[in-house]
Every structure is written in structure tokens, then in C-alpha cells.
Amino acid sequence: MAQTTERYGEWPLVRLMTEVVGSGHKSADDMTRAQAREAFRRILDGEPDDTTLGAFWLANRWKRNTPEELGAYVDTMAADVEQAAPDCDPVDCGANYDGKGRTAILGVAAGLVAAAAGTPVVVHSGDRVPTQKQDAYKHVLDALGVRTDLAPAESAAMTDEVGFGFYYQPNFAPTVDALANRREMMGVRTFVNTVETLANPAGASTHLGSFYHLPYAVRIIETFQQAETADVDRVLMFQGLEGYDDVRPGSTTVAEWDAGADIEDFTVETDAYGMDFEEETLGVEDVAEDSAAITEAVLAGERTDAFADAVALNAALRIYAGEGASSIEAGLDAARETIESGAAHERLAALRDY
């Protein structure tokens, strides 16, 4: 059994369970920053046995982690992340690594459109991450014939050369990736699913993420505020389709924060932009392959349907996040212009050639 050690400290997971977090979701106490950092350090080093680790993850899920705890987890993870910053300052898109299963992933197309409009974008993911183990950014890029098994320095160079970059979790955060088997045995998401999306391997100053409910978006913004290693000073979080970083049709809530300012929120109404379609319209059978085909067709100007509208709107949000436009409307105009001019399709060709 894990014990107090000189390497870690005096809070093995068993002690944290019995004295702090393990008494249930109503009576459990929150951890201090030091306790949370020690706990995650032990986890990333593979020290706890499977039973104790599973209990700890579940206890954290029941009680819900505070921004201070999540910030401590981010700081601990940062010690293991190989960060490689490009010369440009891209928008960091932190979609859920365990992917989507019903609707198209539009972030590759949207990111390339944003890049063509002058706003560089980076995305990152693993490969079949628990619990859903569904398609993510990597799998769409693989289907497009883009090289994804990149060292972080190569990802940074890709971002500078193309305006769009992909960072692969096993290469920039190997200790987090190594938890995959233990996470899969849990059967439910853990706090690792949250913090891995905040790794920021490109050292970007702007984060774009997604949420199901507004209080979660606020918690993520407060996590960035609490994380001592986070250099992010602008965050946009929105209600994503399947929890991913694709704007859902209808009314979408967006939370926006800039350093030194309060968190604000507003709504994006897709029908206000003449986009009259439902979530089912964006459904696909094979997420990776169909998303790749949609990306190709939209950027080539061969589709002007709901998928083209959705790509343009998602690109607009990225352009606005990166302050390449003063409003979503202005970002949408820029996105449509880059698609119509062929500039976005040229970015796809450059990405394939990298």
C-alpha cells in the first residue's frame, strides 16, 4: 500500500480517501492545493493500486472538484507536458479527447478556414481515449491523409507553416496517455478527461473549449485562474455539439473571459445567420471518414449546405476568439470569404504536404 514518502509527501490516496474526499458527495471535504498536487503526482507516476485509484477518481467525481483542485492537477500535469510554442500565438482548441459518435467533427475545416483568415489554430487529442473511445481530431486528420504522429516541435513548425497545427497526446503528455488502461476500467469519465484538454502544448494565450452547462464553463475559466502554470489570458467556452468544440444548432451559450475582466456570457442564435437546420442534419455514419469528406468538400466549395454553414460559423468563433474579428458576424464574413476565395482549401493542401 502507498505510504507517506520523502518523494511525495504525507498524503497517499488511501489517507486522502479516509480523511478528506471519501465520505460521500455531501460530506466530503475539498483538498488543499498541495494535497491535490501530491495526489495527481502519485497517479501520474503509477503509484496507487487499481482499487485505491478507482475509489479516488470516483470520490472526486461524486464531490466535484473545485477550481483550486483542478488548477493543482493542471500544474502537476504541466511538469510532464513537453510544450513547444510556435512563433505565432494560436487559438488553443481543447475538445474532449474521448470524441464524438453521432455528428461530424467540424474543427479541422473550421480551423483551416480561420487560419486562412489570419487566425492560427491548434488542436490536440489522443487516440481512442476512454471512456467513449470515439473519433477525435486525430482520426479526422488521419482520414484526410495528414501526418499526426508528430513530436511537439514538429507540431509547432506545422502551426507556423500552415496556420493550423495538431499536437498528439502520447508525444506531448506521455504520463497522462499512460493512464488509458486504468481510465478505461473505470467505465466513467474522471477529472483526467477535464484537465487533459487544458494541457495547452502550444503555449497559446487563448483557449477555446466546450461545455454542457454554463456553470462548468465558469469552473474551467476559474481553473485557468487558479493554475499557476497557465499562461492563458483569454477563454471562450461554448455549448458544444456532443460536448465537443462544434457549435450546436439553435441557441448556443458562450462564456467569455479576458484577464482582469469579469466572466461574461452571450448567445449565438444560428437562425439569426440564416442557418435553419437541426442537430440531426449534421449527423454522420462514420464520424472520421465522413468528417474528412465534408472537410474536403466544404473547403473546395463543393458543398453550400448546412455543413458549409456550420463550418463557417465555427470558424467565425475561432476568429473571434483569436481577436481576428470584433464580432461573430465579422468573423463569419471573413470565414465565408476565405472559403469562396479558395484560400482555406489551399491551407488543407499545405497541411497534407507538411
Side-chain angles (χ1 to χ4, degrees):
M1 183 178 71
Q3 302 290 337
T4 297
T5 66
E6 184 175 336
R7 170 173 170 77
Y8 297 112
E10 59 183 21
W11 288 98
L13 265 59
V14 169
R15 185 182 177 195
L16 284 171
M17 285 296 298
T18 57
E19 298 184 26
V20 185
V21 302
S23 61
H25 70 282
K26 291 184 178 180
S27 57
D29 291 324
D30 297 323
M31 289 176 285
T32 65
R33 181 184 297 272
Q35 289 170 333
R37 291 191 69 152
E38 179 181 334
F40 201 26
R41 183 70 269 157
R42 289 174 182 267
I43 292 169
L44 290 173
D45 288 351
E47 188 226 35
D49 66 77
D50 289 347
T51 301
T52 303
L53 177 58
F56 181 77
W57 271 339
L58 197 57
N60 275 258
R61 182 180 172 92
W62 280 339
K63 83 170 194 64
R64 297 185 181 180
N65 285 123
T66 65
E68 183 178 35
E69 290 170 334
L70 291 171
Y73 296 150
V74 169
D75 289 340
T76 304
M77 175 179 64
D80 293 0
V81 169
E82 184 180 341
Q83 191 178 84
D87 292 333
C88 65
D89 184 12
V91 174
D92 172 70
C93 295
N96 292 332
Y97 280 20
D98 59 352
K100 296 177 74 176
R102 303 187 308 274
T103 57
I105 293 174
L106 305 174
V108 174
L112 288 166
V113 171
T119 298
V121 168
V122 295
V123 301
H124 39 97
S125 79
D127 187 4
R128 308 296 177 200
V129 171
T131 56
Q132 294 182 157
K133 300 181 70 175
Q134 294 177 328
D135 290 327
Y137 273 119
K138 178 187 189 303
H139 309 105
V140 178
L141 291 165
D142 286 342
L144 283 166
V146 176
R147 191 160 60 98
T148 56
D149 191 2
L150 302 168
E154 293 178 300
S155 299
M158 172 189 278
T159 308
D160 282 324
E161 181 175 319
V162 180
F164 177 97
F166 173 74
Y167 287 73
Y168 187 35
Q169 185 190 43
N171 294 341
F172 73 80
T175 57
V176 178
D177 177 68
L179 295 172
N181 290 338
R182 304 180 89 178
R183 292 167 66 185
E184 183 174 3
M185 294 304 293
M186 282 294 297
V188 296
R189 286 175 172 169
T190 71
F191 64 74
V192 182
N193 291 83
T194 298
V195 300
E196 68 187 350
T197 67
L198 310 182
N200 195 13
S205 64
T206 299
H207 176 81
L208 180 76
S210 62
F211 63 89
Y212 285 104
H213 304 291
L214 186 57
Y216 177 83
V218 172
R219 186 178 300 123
I220 294 302
I221 291 170
E222 290 176 345
T223 295
F224 278 118
Q225 295 170 339
Q226 289 287 332
E228 296 171 352
T229 57
D231 294 325
V232 171
D233 55 25
R234 177 166 167 78
V235 178
L236 249 71
M237 300 284 294
F238 64 90
Q239 287 175 297
L241 194 56
E242 294 187 65
Y244 215 72
D245 62 354
D246 297 312
V247 176
R248 64 185 187 180
S251 180
T252 294
T253 299
V254 181
E256 180 176 5
W257 171 76
D258 289 284
D262 294 331
I263 300 171
E264 299 181 355
D265 64 87
F266 60 92
T267 59
V268 171
E269 307 287 346
T270 54
D271 60 1
Y273 305 113
M275 301 179 185
D276 184 19
F277 52 86
E278 305 295 331
E279 178 176 332
E280 292 74 18
T281 310
L282 303 179
V284 291
E285 292 186 5
D286 186 317
V287 172
E289 294 292 336
D290 291 346
S291 297
I294 290 164
T295 297
E296 179 82 58
V298 168
L299 299 190
E302 297 170 358
R303 295 189 77 139
T304 57
D305 56 4
F307 285 109
D309 283 340
V311 167
L313 183 57
N314 278 283
L317 206 65
R318 285 153 174 76
I319 294 168
Y320 175 72
E323 300 184 295
S326 60
S327 66
I328 302 297
E329 292 83 358
L332 188 57
D333 289 341
R336 285 174 166 156
E337 183 177 323
T338 61
I339 295 173
E340 291 170 5
S341 70
H345 196 238
E346 291 174 359
R347 293 298 86 206
L348 175 58
L351 186 66
R352 282 174 164 153
D353 289 342
Y354 178 79

